[in-house]
Amino acid sequence: MRKLTTNIMLGGVGGQGLILMTRIISQAALKDGYDVKSNDVVGLSQRGGMVWGNVKIGKKIYSPNFPPGEGDILVAMEPLEALRWSAVLRDQGRIIMNTKHFYPTMVQQEKYEYPVKEIENLKSKYKVTAINAFEEARRIGKKQVSNVILLGALAQDLEIKVDTWLETVKDNVPKKAIEMNIEAFEFGYKI
């Protein structure tokens, strides 16, 4: 970590594995000797609604929350979530974004247009890494590991040992899916 505290925001749609990501980030940081606080807001997750969480990592952390404009990294599991949560980032903050669209109901019903141009404009203000994690996960074997691909990309920005990440992933996924999740993490880490 380049500074005393790292503020991470995660945004997604219900069912994309945001809670698992939060847990793995938190456990890996703790294993490597950092203090961590995290929270998840998942009330709409059962209906495919938006879900989000914060993870704060540092020497001594008192709360997972941070004000708008002080986020260091945003992991967006869908492009619209990158746009929605970008205001939490500091200038030139980092966005790790899954490019697979999961259209909200209002877009599906043609009441609103999907904000393609606004999402593309994020690149002018932030450091954006765009990954079609959904397609890469299908190539690896299961679309459910797309969150672990994004986790691997995030790991590059944190001073947590790779072995710690791999151990933590193994501890948190079903035994039958360990190999696939490790492959997903390593793919994301190499991006």
Side-chain angles (χ1 to χ4, degrees):
M1 279 169 249
R2 292 160 192 75
K3 47 184 250 182
L4 205 52
T5 302
T6 300
N7 298 322
I8 304 166
M9 177 77 194
L10 298 104
V13 176
Q16 292 182 308
L18 186 133
I19 293 172
L20 177 64
M21 282 183 70
T22 303
R23 183 179 336 129
I24 292 173
I25 295 165
S26 299
Q27 288 179 9
L30 283 170
K31 284 180 185 181
D32 254 16
Y34 295 98
D35 191 16
V36 180
K37 298 290 184 279
S38 68
N39 64 9
D40 298 306
V41 178
V42 295
L44 299 174
S45 66
Q46 292 180 349
R47 296 194 174 149
M50 67 180 188
V51 294
W52 65 93
N54 294 335
V55 180
K56 199 177 227 184
I57 302 171
K59 186 172 181 172
K60 183 65 184 159
I61 304 297
Y62 298 96
S63 168
N65 302 319
F66 50 89
E70 291 191 19
D72 297 301
I73 304 167
L74 167 60
V75 180
M77 301 173 84
E78 201 279 336
L80 185 57
E81 298 307 314
L83 181 61
R84 183 187 323 270
W85 294 108
S86 62
V88 305
L89 291 174
R90 61 179 166 76
D91 286 341
Q92 292 302 303
R94 176 141 149 76
I95 297 175
I96 300 165
M97 175 177 64
N98 182 8
T99 60
K100 170 70 173 159
H101 295 180
F102 293 90
Y103 297 108
T105 303
M106 297 302 267
V107 172
Q108 291 176 18
Q109 294 174 350
E110 299 178 358
K111 293 181 180 178
Y112 292 104
E113 286 188 33
Y114 194 82
V116 175
K117 184 176 180 182
E118 292 86 347
I119 292 167
E120 187 63 29
N121 287 341
L122 291 172
K123 293 177 182 176
S124 66
K125 188 171 181 183
Y126 307 104
K127 298 172 191 168
V128 177
T129 299
I131 310 161
N132 190 333
F134 185 83
E135 285 304 317
E136 291 301 331
R138 284 185 15 175
R139 182 190 57 76
I140 289 169
K142 242 184 177 172
K143 63 184 180 183
Q144 285 85 349
V145 298
S146 61
N147 61 333
V148 181
I149 290 173
L150 299 172
L151 183 67
L154 168 68
Q156 297 175 40
D157 290 321
L158 302 175
E159 292 182 0
I160 297 170
K161 294 183 220 77
V162 174
D163 289 344
T164 303
W165 283 110
L166 295 173
E167 178 185 324
T168 308
V169 169
K170 289 177 187 176
D171 290 346
N172 283 280
V173 300
K175 286 191 190 317
K176 65 182 181 181
I178 288 175
E179 189 176 311
M180 190 182 324
N181 278 277
I182 295 301
E183 184 179 346
F185 178 86
E186 290 174 342
F187 176 85
Y189 192 79
K190 291 175 185 169
I191 292 174

